[in-house]
Amino acid sequence: MSSRTRILASAIRRPRQLGSHRVRWSSHCATQSQPSFPCVDAHAARESRLIAESASRSRGAASYPSDDSGPEPPYARPSPLSYNVYHHPRPFPLTYSASLPSFDIAYETWGTMSPTRDNVILLQTGLSASSHAASTSLNPSPGWWEKFIGPGRALDTSQFFVVCSNVLGGCYGSTGPSSIDPTTGQRYATRFPILSIFDMVKAQFALLDHLGVDRLYASVGSSMGAMQSLAAGWLFPNRVGKVVSISGTARSSPGSIAMRYAQRSVLMADPNWNNGFYYDGLPPHTGMKLARQIATITYRSGPEWDLRFGRKLHDTSLTDGSRTAPKLCPEFMIETYLDHQGEQFCLKYDANSLLYVSKAMDLFDLTLPAIKRLGLSPTEKATPSSTPSLEEAQTTALLKSHPPPANPPPHLPELAEGLRPLASIPTLVLGVQSDILFPVEQQREVVDALRLAGNSRVSYFELGGVWGHDTFL
């Protein structure tokens, strides 16, 4: 028999041997205990509970346990009785679409407006925050910026009137994908138009018009709110007295776009998302939970987790004799922390709002070519300012805060040209050294671009600590 014939004969006989092996393996498995996955069982139990409750529970109305595992207060849908609503009854033009037929903006206020209405501070939120930035008589629960708003605090309500709104596209009282389309009587879902940061800011200024506020004392924002704060100064340079940008950017970087894309991808891969039309069925809670876990990783820092959790196990009693018996479900403290963060969030924020608002962040770009492509222009001409030379601007940057970059990014001159409407607005920029979502390089870039644009009143500080992007909270 040739070698080729022997190989063929061996291959023909092999299935019998494999079949015999399978029989022995099946018998072996029958005598072994089946693997246990408590995390999978818990998830299945939650889905069964949601299905059972879907007929009697409106989304978000349930009570959830508080979350004291991080700087963020617990996310919950505010009661409609605890905030104000501005209704804009007219068509509202958008950057990427024709218009919204109308919209609502939920907002809350603190302090007293002066008779001349010149002490108003507009506070812009991060991606998923509500208008509830601090406790009020109508809602005494702590807000997401509770420690910074009040008499004698950073936003001193003994001097200033503070206004905070839920953004257009959100789900905490403002019009967004979960809202009813007045032209159809059905929820918008993914028929909702793509939004820009500029659209959100224009909606806020429509609210300010309603309140009779011609000029802000300051526009203040953190994270996505920092984008809005810069956009407010860009769109309305003569209506914004000062700009505060904390842990933000004037141009979304590829790194942050990638992180948000990963979140949207896992959310949209959840079959319950159903192309955005899930409001009458089971919500995409699995995708939302995973998206929140990814987001949480970008909001915090490795050094903080090393100090806080290390390699500690959540339950050290899982042993097999004298040897530990690892499981595939969360066991490390950091794993259970991420699991808890995802569980806390996945039913409290609308999935479509996450998609739309995060996409608006990705699209944000204040470089001049990007602005020209959109055909945007400030609503009024900014007060002219003298423009320094590159050498003068770099010298000023060196004297005031940080050395100019040895290798400036190629888009820096275009960003400086784009930021010219803010040249006369005093601006405070804060960065966080441990921030991986909006690194300090991006804060320095905003400062350098503003100074190149002719703004000589830019202050910049970097905050230390290990809390990452969430330091601003």
Side-chain angles (χ1 to χ4, degrees), residues 247-317:
S247 298
T249 184
R251 171 185 176 272
S252 279
S253 69
S256 62
I257 291 172
M259 293 174 185
R260 287 187 290 269
Y261 168 73
Q263 296 169 47
R264 292 195 298 270
S265 294
V266 296
L267 196 166
M268 296 169 74
D270 187 328
N272 291 334
W273 180 61
N274 192 32
N275 290 333
F277 293 87
Y278 52 80
Y279 295 108
D280 295 326
L282 197 64
H285 61 106
T286 302
M288 281 291 281
K289 178 178 178 177
L290 295 176
R292 185 61 174 181
Q293 289 179 355
I294 296 171
T296 301
I297 293 170
T298 72
Y299 296 158
R300 313 307 286 273
S301 82
E304 180 207 358
W305 286 339
D306 203 24
L307 290 171
R308 185 171 167 188
F309 302 120
R311 290 180 53 82
K312 294 177 183 176
L313 297 175
H314 178 64
D315 185 356
T316 57
S317 65

Side-chain angles (χ1 to χ4, degrees), residues 59 76-87 104-110 129-141 163-167 170-175 178-179 207:
R59 296 187 69 248
R77 293 178 181 269
S79 164
L81 299 178
S82 70
Y83 55 76
N84 303 300
V85 176
Y86 161 65
H87 177 67
D104 290 341
I105 287 290
Y107 69 98
E108 296 178 49
T109 64
W110 301 263
S130 70
S131 60
H132 191 62
S135 54
T136 65
S137 58
L138 295 176
N139 185 354
S141 61
V163 180
C164 181
S165 74
N166 180 223
V167 297
C171 58
Y172 293 144
S174 294
T175 296
S178 60
S179 303
L207 165 63

Side-chain angles (χ1 to χ4, degrees), residues 397-411:
L398 176 61
L399 293 175
K400 287 195 171 182
S401 56
H402 61 277
N407 297 299
H411 59 265

Side-chain angles (χ1 to χ4, degrees), residues 419-439:
L419 291 177
R420 283 195 185 279
L422 289 89
S424 299
I425 304 177
T427 303
L428 169 64
V429 180
L430 297 180
V432 175
Q433 293 173 350
S434 56
D435 192 342
I436 63 172
L437 184 58
F438 294 99

Side-chain angles (χ1 to χ4, degrees), residues 40-107:
V40 177
D41 296 339
H43 179 79
R46 157 167 268 187
E47 185 154 307
S48 297
R49 188 168 63 253
L50 288 174
I51 293 172
E53 294 173 352
S54 61
S56 59
R57 180 178 64 84
S58 61
R59 296 187 69 248
S63 173
Y64 295 93
S66 64
D67 175 13
D68 58 359
S69 59
E72 292 179 274
Y75 278 97
R77 293 178 181 269
S79 164
L81 299 178
S82 70
Y83 55 76
N84 303 300
V85 176
Y86 161 65
H87 177 67
H88 189 81
R90 300 176 300 280
F92 182 68
L94 300 173
T95 304
Y96 298 103
S97 304
S99 65
L100 276 174
S102 62
F103 68 83
D104 290 341
I105 287 290
Y107 69 98

